[in-house]
Amino acid sequence: KYGWPEDIWFHVDKLSSAHVYLSMRKGLTIEDIPKEVLIDCVQLVKNNSIQGNTFSGPKTGGMDVGQIGFHRHKVKIVAVEKKINEIVNRLEKTKDERYPDLAAEKKAQIQDLKKKYKDDIKKKRELDELK
């Protein structure tokens, strides 16, 4: 609800799991995520799901290991066959948990944009008066 359209979140489909929220620069999409970062995100999600951590899937009948599927064109499914401890351990060592107030951040950002817009209009009027 309070995220930005360009940001991406990961979770284990149909199972209880942690959510990994990847903040993206404006104009970038899921296709622009480096493969290494994508693997890190899905490994974190799998590791932090009690059921997903022990589950070797999810897959549909004809999917190869690591194959990506699309659902409703906004969801990208990445099949993770197994947890890779080296990746999870590396990421856990650099863990930095934050509990941001996304509603307040979004509200502040919108207010900043409105202020900038008003300032731009004021400067334009001043320039017009000078002419």
Side-chain angles (χ1 to χ4, degrees), residues 44-119:
L44 276 176
V45 170
K46 183 173 181 67
N47 185 61
N48 288 291
S49 170
I50 294 169
Q51 292 171 300
N53 197 8
T54 58
F55 187 63
S56 294
K59 295 183 193 226
T60 58
M63 289 181 79
D64 293 330
V65 174
Q67 183 174 348
I68 297 170
F70 291 90
H71 179 68
R72 284 186 265 141
H73 302 289
K74 288 190 177 188
V75 175
K76 187 172 188 173
I77 298 170
V78 180
V80 181
E81 185 173 352
K82 65 179 184 169
K83 179 175 82 168
I84 303 172
N85 286 324
E86 296 80 27
I87 293 174
V88 174
N89 292 339
R90 174 179 51 83
L91 295 171
E92 287 293 330
K93 287 178 185 176
T94 62
K95 186 175 186 175
D96 179 17
E97 284 191 51
R98 299 179 188 182
Y99 302 93
D101 184 348
L102 295 176
E105 287 181 20
K106 191 166 188 176
K107 185 177 180 180
Q109 212 165 14
I110 289 169
Q111 287 176 342
D112 287 345
L113 288 171
K114 286 180 181 178
K115 185 181 182 307
K116 185 180 181 305
Y117 178 74
K118 286 180 182 179
D119 290 345

